[in-house]
Amino acid sequence: MSQGYQSRAASEDDLPALCELEAVIFGRDAWSQQSLMSELAPGEGDGDYARYSVVSCSAGHVVGYAFARTGGEDAEILRVVVAPAHRRKGLATALLTAALAAARRQRCVRALLEVDADDAAAVGCYSALGFTPLHRRVGYYASGGDALVMALVLTPPVHVGGGEAR
């Protein structure tokens, strides 16, 4: 994590801060409190997927978070959010890297995400980490904006002898 920031698993206690960040960042496209709450359940998810959630804190306050789901060969990066005052400090990269590490632990071979096609900073961040565009979802967001679907092939586990290296 970037200097001066701490990361930890997200919890129900973080819900008010998550709701506030959602409203600031996403406006009409913000997730509801109930939707955020459903992503805070650690470990096993419903059915065939597992959930992963992490927050980044500064001076005891949540300033960023990431949510991911893993299932089968795919991981879906649901949210990577950083408060405007804390951007350009490597937090989004650190949060996304943590989510991708969780996906690799679950033996996923591909990570997928959707990003506002007009959000050049986010698209640039994801591209720098190796994500490539798959397609555009026109008018996807409530605001009318397009979503760009991006994918990253995760490095497969290396097989050494009869075992598997991690």
Side-chain angles (χ1 to χ4, degrees), residues 41-51:
E44 292 303 313
D46 300 328
D48 297 330
Y49 68 88
R51 294 183 184 110

Side-chain angles (χ1 to χ4, degrees), residues 60-159:
H61 300 287
V62 173
V63 297
Y65 60 93
F67 293 144
R69 289 185 189 169
T70 61
E73 293 186 343
D74 288 337
E76 184 177 6
I77 308 302
L78 301 172
R79 285 285 204 239
V80 178
V81 175
V82 176
H86 297 273
R87 291 183 177 166
R88 300 279 189 217
K89 298 178 183 180
L91 292 181
T93 298
L95 289 164
L96 184 55
T97 299
L100 294 173
R104 287 183 176 98
R105 285 192 302 274
Q106 293 292 320
R107 300 191 175 162
C108 295
V109 297
R110 180 174 71 163
L112 300 166
L113 58 79
E114 294 168 350
V115 60
D116 185 332
D118 293 330
D119 187 342
V123 171
C125 175
Y126 299 140
S127 295
L129 289 169
F131 280 85
T132 58
L134 289 180
H135 64 274
R136 179 181 290 257
R137 293 184 175 162
V138 177
Y140 180 77
Y141 296 111
S143 62
D146 296 351
L148 186 60
V149 178
M150 300 181 81
L152 172 68
V153 175
L154 301 173
T155 306
V158 177
H159 297 280

Side-chain angles (χ1 to χ4, degrees), residues 9-20 22 30-46 49-55 65-69 78-79:
S11 74
E12 289 183 26
D13 293 339
D14 298 317
L15 193 56
L18 299 177
C19 288
E20 184 177 328
E22 275 287 313
W31 285 358
S32 68
Q33 181 175 343
Q34 181 178 355
S35 294
L36 291 166
M37 185 66 183
S38 71
E39 295 305 323
L40 293 177
E44 292 303 313
D46 300 328
Y49 68 88
R51 294 183 184 110
Y52 175 79
S53 59
V54 62
V55 294
Y65 60 93
F67 293 144
R69 289 185 189 169
L78 301 172
R79 285 285 204 239

